[in-house]
Amino acid sequence: MKLAVNYSRELHLLLDSGQVKFDVYKCPDWQDMIETASKTKPVYVHFPLCAGDGSLRETDWTMIDQIRQATQTPFINLHLCAPKDLNPGDHPRVQQTICNAIDDVQMLVNRYGKDSVVIENMPVLSFGTDYLIPMAHTSVINQVVTETGCQFLFDIAHARLTTMNLGWDWLTYILNLPLDRLREFHITGIGPQPLDGILVDHLELDNSDWKNLSWCFDRIRSGEWSEPALVSFEYGGIGEIFRWRTETRVLLEQVPRLYALIHPG
């Protein structure tokens, strides 16, 4: 397992001063950021690709391939999505969306191989994302993984948001995900956004998060779950969206603790 952390200027300064240790930067597909980050640490790229919403037809695959080759990014990631006008009660269209998502994932499996494609569980938020509800069901996630042979990217904060907002049982939900195919694991805390009180992710970890992570790593180390190649702390970043959630204090406290969890001894 390798520990990845979202690239930020604050993290870069802590690395340069020797105050934190991690294995790779996690970056979006932004060339300037990739070039800057790569000067001090290996980079892997998390692509903004979605399965099920029809957006893949607009993808520049030449650019994707160039970035992946230049950074040696091990996986092509897909977010399990749906068209934003999807009505969860429209059963025929929901079934068609699931079929479309499977076709999208299969296209990438055919292009890159089943071991190089990972699908990520997306969050159902407290409003505005009802269209994602059908794709959040563990039965659908398992269907996509089983029918395409792809691997799984488990975002624990997304799972927490989904179960909290839909009133689903957290433990039952987690235990029904395809964690025997786990290849990448995303970690952040959740909490209310300062301006409007909506629960969001990409925040610092609290005591309950650390307890959940300990439980997850017990499952990984026992062999009950597959061991992921990458464990990504998605805290911090660049730009206005991350301005209020990129604190040096948090990085200084939590990156070393995560490194010790992933690399014990």
Side-chain angles (χ1 to χ4, degrees), residues 147-165:
E147 293 194 19
T148 65
C150 73
Q151 309 303 307
F152 183 52
L153 190 169
F154 175 38
D155 190 309
I156 191 170
H158 287 180
R160 285 188 66 200
L161 289 168
T162 295
T163 55
M164 291 171 67
N165 289 318

Side-chain angles (χ1 to χ4, degrees), residues 14-238:
L14 289 174
L15 178 67
D16 282 351
S17 63
Q19 295 182 78
V20 296
K21 184 189 296 185
F22 56 96
D23 299 305
V24 295
Y25 282 119
K26 174 179 171 287
C27 291
D29 59 347
W30 301 353
Q31 291 286 2
D32 289 348
M33 183 188 292
I34 293 169
E35 289 174 10
T36 299
S38 297
K39 293 176 182 177
T40 56
K41 212 58 165 164
V43 166
Y44 94 94
V45 175
H46 189 68
F47 296 102
L49 302 174
C50 294
D53 66 354
S55 62
L56 283 185
R57 66 174 66 97
E58 302 171 3
T59 300
D60 183 346
W61 295 109
T62 299
M63 183 192 72
I64 296 286
D65 290 345
Q66 289 173 346
I67 291 174
R68 185 172 181 237
Q69 182 176 5
T71 59
Q72 296 298 295
T73 294
F75 305 119
I76 295 290
N77 62 284
L78 283 166
H79 304 86
L80 195 55
C81 296
K84 291 185 177 180
D85 63 349
L86 179 66
N87 177 355
D90 185 344
H91 184 71
R93 191 169 179 218
V94 166
Q95 290 304 308
Q96 184 59 56
T97 299
I98 294 170
C99 289
N100 292 343
I102 290 171
D103 288 344
D104 285 345
V105 177
Q106 189 64 58
M107 180 181 71
L108 264 70
V109 166
N110 292 344
R111 182 183 180 98
Y112 296 105
K114 63 182 181 180
D115 293 331
S116 297
V117 177
V118 293
I119 62 163
E120 177 178 358
N121 58 301
M122 290 291 280
V124 176
L125 304 179
S126 53
F127 79 93
T129 58
D130 285 359
Y131 65 95
L132 289 174
I133 292 175
M135 314 308 283
H137 285 275
T138 57
S139 59
V140 172
I141 296 171
N142 278 285
Q143 181 182 356
V144 174
V145 168
T146 299
E147 293 194 19
T148 65
C150 73
Q151 309 303 307
F152 183 52
L153 190 169
F154 175 38
D155 190 309
I156 191 170
H158 287 180
R160 285 188 66 200
L161 289 168
T162 295
T163 55
M164 291 171 67
N165 289 318
L166 295 181
W168 295 350
D169 181 73
W170 154 257
L171 185 59
T172 300
Y173 187 80
I174 296 301
L175 292 177
N176 280 285
L177 290 169
L179 291 159
D180 60 325
R181 300 281 189 91
L182 178 62
R183 298 299 292 144
E184 190 172 337
F185 188 6
H186 286 184
I187 296 168
T188 63
I190 63 172
Q193 189 173 2
L195 296 178
D196 49 25
I198 304 167
L199 282 176
V200 294
D201 56 354
H202 298 283
L203 299 178
E204 64 183 291
L205 303 169
D206 62 18
N207 288 335
S208 64
D209 294 316
W210 288 111
K211 182 178 179 180
N212 288 334
L213 285 179
S214 178
W215 181 83
C216 289
F217 275 90
D218 284 346
R219 308 280 82 71
I220 291 168
R221 294 206 162 94
S222 71
E224 184 178 340
W225 298 359
S226 294
E227 180 178 299
L230 291 165
V231 179
S232 297
F233 185 33
E234 294 190 298
Y235 178 83
I238 300 292

